[in-house]
Amino acid sequence: MLRRSTITATALTLMLAGAVCGCATGPGGTTSSASSAAVPQLDPQVASTLDDALGAVRASTGVDSATKRVELHQSYTAADGTDVTPEGLDAWNNRDAGPEAPRPIGAVDEDDGALPPVPTPTARPMPPAGATERHTLSAEFVVTMDAASTPAQAAAVPVAMAKRIAWTGVALSLQVPAGPGRVLSSVTYSGTFDQTIPDATALGVAEGLATLAATPGVTGLEASIPQTMRVDYGSLTIGVAPADDATLARVRSVIDTTAFAETTLHGSFGNGAKP
């Protein structure tokens, strides 16, 4: 299925999920009985790993700029399993992370918009006594590729990340900017960073997106690679114009020559018709 979309942003986004507790541990879940409202802190070793990954991305050829944002998440569960996390706790813990929450992973359509700001309480909310506490962290890397970057350079980014962050729960949304004769493309790797990402797989994805981004009639392009690293088990969202059978057939024929052959397509034409 295909849909029309307008894409404007140029960025790479990584969400990293690990676990920290109290004055912080590294990845791997931990819980403790809540007797106080201790502010979670990032473990120095975890922080060093994130800095190393950011440095590797910044040093990659074809990357124009790279930043990271780390957030700590704290939740509380009652004895009966009910979530009793005080409203606004994460916003208070991360009040220095920025006034607005990050855009959704893989959000490349201007209609998605940014997530609204999370209200920050004036005082730190206190959890109920005796609740079980859990801390997790997320780190968002935003990387802008150079307008002249190649598929090989784009493919090197997830490979470099996988060599440095061997944790579960990682997602990477890599975007390559629009250029002469091509639209902006985005690919999201979901939960794949606890394993090696083969060079050939990353390159096949990047080359496939580059081919589709330059295909006449394509107006928007977004792919998702699942945790299994099976590209054909992922998804593909493509905007097309004009929305007619000839354009659809031409785009489908190009898809079949790429790593996305047999991948599930998502979307619809502007008039709501399903291809």
Side-chain angles (χ1 to χ4, degrees):
M1 297 182 287
L2 305 180
R3 70 177 171 91
R4 184 191 304 271
S5 63
T6 304
I7 300 177
T8 57
T10 301
L12 173 153
T13 303
L14 171 91
M15 290 301 295
L16 164 68
V20 295
C21 98
C23 291
T25 63
T30 58
T31 58
S32 62
S33 179
S35 58
S36 64
V39 179
Q41 298 178 15
L42 185 62
D43 180 85
Q45 183 176 355
V46 175
S48 177
T49 299
L50 296 176
D51 287 342
D52 178 57
L54 179 63
V57 171
R58 284 177 170 168
S60 298
T61 305
V63 172
D64 182 62
S65 66
T67 61
K68 79 174 189 303
R69 169 176 169 169
V70 179
E71 290 189 353
L72 301 173
H73 308 286
Q74 192 171 24
S75 62
Y76 291 86
T77 306
D80 62 359
T82 303
D83 182 7
V84 290
T85 305
E87 184 176 0
L89 180 61
D90 275 354
W92 197 94
N93 286 340
N94 295 292
R95 62 196 182 284
D96 297 327
E100 295 186 356
R103 287 172 59 83
I105 290 295
V108 295
D109 193 314
E110 65 178 10
D111 294 334
D112 290 335
L115 294 178
V118 178
T120 303
T122 56
R124 190 169 189 274
M126 295 294 290
T132 298
E133 177 180 4
R134 181 178 179 86
H135 298 176
T136 59
L137 68 87
S138 63
E140 181 188 44
F141 286 64
V142 179
V143 179
T144 302
M145 298 299 294
D146 186 89
S149 62
T150 66
Q153 291 166 352
V157 174
V159 171
M161 296 303 305
K163 290 179 178 178
R164 290 164 175 82
I165 304 178
W167 300 339
T168 59
V170 177
L172 169 67
S173 177
L174 172 62
Q175 297 178 24
V176 177
R182 72 171 190 270
V183 300
L184 180 148
S185 65
S186 174
V187 59
T188 299
Y189 289 83
S190 301
T192 60
F193 288 87
D194 61 340
Q195 60 188 302
T196 297
I197 295 180
D199 291 350
T201 300
L203 183 58
V205 168
E207 289 180 337
L209 286 173
T211 298
L212 288 167
T215 299
V218 172
T219 61
L221 183 59
E222 182 175 1
S224 176
I225 310 301
Q227 186 171 357
T228 59
M229 286 299 299
R230 286 285 303 274
V231 177
D232 55 334
Y233 277 33
S235 64
L236 192 60
T237 301
I238 305 177
V240 294
D244 55 29
D245 290 341
T247 302
L248 176 60
R250 183 171 63 253
V251 173
R252 282 188 178 276
S253 68
V254 175
I255 293 172
D256 289 341
T257 67
T258 72
F260 298 102
E262 306 302 328
T263 297
T264 302
L265 300 179
H266 291 290
S268 65
F269 291 125
N271 62 6
K274 299 293 182 180

